[in-house]
Amino acid sequence: MKLRHSLAVALACTVAAPLALCAAAPALAAGSTPAETRNQPTYEELQAAAAAAAKAHTAAVAAEAEGLKEVKATLDALDSPEHPLKAAAIAAEKVAKAAAAAKTAADERVTKAKADLAAAESDTEKATAQQALTAAEADLATAVKDQQAADAALEKADTAVDDARVTASRKYGLLKADVERTSKAKTAADAALAAAKECVREDGLTALAEGLPAKLVAGSTVGFTLRVTNGTERTLAVDPLVFLHATGEGAGAKENLLKTEWADGTAWRTLSADQPEHIGRIDSLPPLGHRDVKMRLTIDASAQKTAGLALFAGDASDSYNPCVLGPMKRYDLEILPAGSTPGKVDDAKPGHPGKTDDPRPTPANTPAPQGGTSTPVPTPTPTSTGALASTGADSATLPLALTSAAALTLGAGAFIATRRRKATNGA
C-alpha cells in the first residue's frame, strides 16, 4: 500500500474547494514512540487478523444458512408419520387410547357388578354377584396398570420427538450465535485496522531544501540539496514529495518555465512540471538519521519576471502505521528575466502558514500518491547524526488562503485525474 500526502489535496482545496470542506478532514494522531508501540500488533498483523476475522465470519454465515436448511428439513421430517420417532409416537398413542378404553370398560363392569351385588336377595345370588365383582375389580386393576404403562410409553415417545426438535433447534441456535460472535470479532478487527490506517503526523520528519536561491535568473541552472531527516524515534521508510512551479505554467502547458531534476545515483531524472512526484524512496531511515538528494533547477531563458514556489514533504511508513506524514515546507521564489543581476541572493526559506491550514487526507478516502513511481536512491548511504538537522523554520504547510498566481493557475482537475490514475493502476 503506497502512501499519500496532502500536497495535492491542499492545492486542490486552494484552487477549487471551499474552506469548510477541506477543514472537515479528520485530525491526525500524534506519532507513537517505540515504548508505546512495542507491545502493539504491527500493521501487517492487524491486516492478517482482519482477513482471518472476515474469513471466519463468512464461514459462519455460510454454516448458518446450511444449518437453517437442515433444521427446517429435520422439523418437517419429525412431523411425518414415516419418521421412526414420529411413527413410534403414533403407535404409542394408539396403544394408550386402547388402554384407556379398556380401563373405562373395566370401570363400567365394576360399577355393574356392585349394582348386581346390591340387588341380590338370596345367598346364591349374592355369592354369584360377589364373584363377578371380584373378577371385574381384578380386570380393572389390570386395565389401570396397562393404561399407566401405555401412557408412560406415549410420553416417552412424544419426548423423543420433542428432544429431536430441541436438538435440531439448539444446533441452529449455536450456528446463529457463531454468526453474531464472528460478526463482533470482524467489526473489532476492522476497527483496529482502520485506526492503524489513520495518518499519523510526525513534525520531526522533515524535507528541507538547502541551497535553493530565493531569486532565480532566466536561462540559469542552480543546484540544491533536499535533505530528508528522520527526527522521530522510529525507523521509517520515506518517500520525499517534491513540486516546483512557476506562474503561467498550467497542466498541459506547451512550455515549462522550470525544469526540475534529481539525481538517482546514476543519472538525472526530470520531474513533472504540473504535478507533485515522489522521488528517491528511502527504504530504511533510522532515528535521527538523514538522507540527501541532489537536485537541480533550470529556468527557461524566455521566462519573464514572475513568481514561483517549491513544496517539499516527507511521506513515510513503519511497521505500525502505513501513513506517516511529515509537515509540508513551502518556499516562495522570485524569477527574474535573463541578464538580471540580483546581487547577493539568500536561500529561500519555508513560510509560516496558520495552524489550521493543514488539510490532510486519510487512507480511507484518498488514492495513492501523485506523479511517477518512487525510485530508491542508491547513493549516498544514509547517515545517522548525533542531532537533528536544523530546519531554520517551524513546521509549515501550504496555507489554504494561498493567493499566489502560481498556485491559482494550477487546475485542481490535474491532481484529481492523476490520483485516480494512480489508484486505478494499484500504485
Side-chain angles (χ1 to χ4, degrees):
M1 174 181 176
K2 291 225 177 184
L3 301 177
R4 71 281 298 163
H5 202 282
S6 58
L7 180 68
V9 168
L11 284 170
C13 288
T14 302
V15 176
L19 177 62
L21 178 62
C22 295
L28 297 172
S32 302
T33 65
E36 294 171 327
T37 58
R38 60 173 172 251
N39 293 323
Q40 298 176 1
T42 64
Y43 183 72
E44 183 177 348
E45 290 170 339
L46 290 175
Q47 285 182 307
K55 182 178 181 180
H57 180 59
T58 299
V61 170
E64 188 266 348
E66 290 300 317
L68 180 59
K69 295 179 182 178
E70 182 178 338
V71 72
K72 286 182 177 180
T74 300
L75 295 178
D76 289 343
L78 286 170
D79 289 333
S80 171
E82 296 179 358
H83 192 283
L85 294 178
K86 186 65 175 180
I90 293 173
E93 185 178 12
K94 290 180 179 179
V95 172
K97 287 181 178 180
K103 193 261 183 185
T104 299
D107 278 334
E108 292 175 352
R109 287 196 297 273
V110 169
T111 300
K112 183 178 182 304
K114 287 181 178 180
D116 290 344
L117 179 60
E121 295 180 354
S122 65
D123 292 340
T124 301
E125 290 176 346
K126 290 179 179 179
T128 300
Q130 182 61 52
Q131 288 179 352
L133 176 60
T134 300
E137 288 176 339
D139 290 343
L140 177 59
T142 300
V144 169
K145 290 181 180 179
D146 290 345
Q147 184 183 25
Q148 290 175 341
D151 287 345
L154 175 58
E155 181 179 3
K156 182 178 180 180
D158 286 341
T159 299
V161 174
D162 290 340
D163 286 348
R165 289 194 177 99
V166 170
T167 298
S169 299
R170 183 180 293 118
K171 181 179 179 181
Y172 176 64
L174 293 175
L175 294 174
K176 288 188 67 176
D178 199 40
V179 169
E180 183 177 357
R181 178 188 62 79
T182 56
S183 176
K184 290 180 179 179
K186 179 180 180 299
T187 298
D190 288 343
L193 182 61
K197 284 181 179 180
E198 292 182 1
C199 291
V200 174
R201 181 173 185 164
E202 285 289 6
D203 288 340
L205 175 61
T206 59
L208 300 169
E210 297 183 353
L212 175 62
K215 296 181 180 182
L216 305 167
V217 178
S220 65
T221 297
V222 296
F224 64 98
T225 298
L226 178 63
R227 170 159 289 193
V228 181
T229 301
N230 180 7
T232 75
E233 297 179 2
R234 296 129 54 206
T235 297
L236 300 174
V238 185
D239 286 292
L241 189 63
V242 175
F243 180 62
L244 286 92
H245 190 78
T247 300
E249 291 184 332
K254 294 182 179 180
E255 295 184 1
N256 296 314
L257 300 181
L258 301 182
K259 178 183 179 182
T260 308
E261 300 172 285
W262 65 282
D264 67 0
T266 58
W268 287 99
R269 302 184 61 174
T270 302
L271 298 180
S272 170
D274 55 20
Q275 61 186 7
E277 289 189 56
H278 288 91
I279 67 171
R281 177 175 174 82
I282 307 167
D283 291 323
S284 180
L285 188 60
L288 305 184
H290 69 262
R291 174 72 66 87
D292 290 340
V293 181
K294 291 183 178 181
M295 304 191 70
R296 67 185 182 188
L297 181 61
T298 300
I299 302 86
D300 190 89
S302 66
Q304 299 301 308
K305 182 177 177 62
T306 187
L309 63 82
L311 296 169
F312 303 100
D315 289 351
S317 65
D318 63 11
S319 297
Y320 301 93
N321 301 99
C323 181
V324 180
L325 304 179
M328 291 185 212
K329 299 295 181 178
R330 175 185 173 219
Y331 297 78
D332 289 317
L333 308 174
E334 182 180 356
I335 298 174
L336 303 175
S340 300
T341 54
K344 183 180 179 181
V345 178
D346 294 328
D347 289 347
K349 301 295 182 182
H352 297 272
K355 294 181 179 180
T356 60
D357 297 334
D358 189 12
R360 298 281 182 149
T362 61
N365 58 18
T366 305
Q370 307 87 343
T373 56
S374 301
T375 304
V377 179
T379 58
T381 303
T383 304
S384 294
T385 60
L388 296 181
S390 174
T391 63
D394 295 334
S395 171
T397 57
L398 181 65
L400 291 177
L402 181 64
T403 58
S404 166
L408 292 176
T409 56
L410 202 60
F415 289 92
I416 296 174
T418 302
R419 296 172 79 97
R420 286 177 178 169
R421 283 199 303 272
K422 296 297 290 183
T424 302
N425 294 334

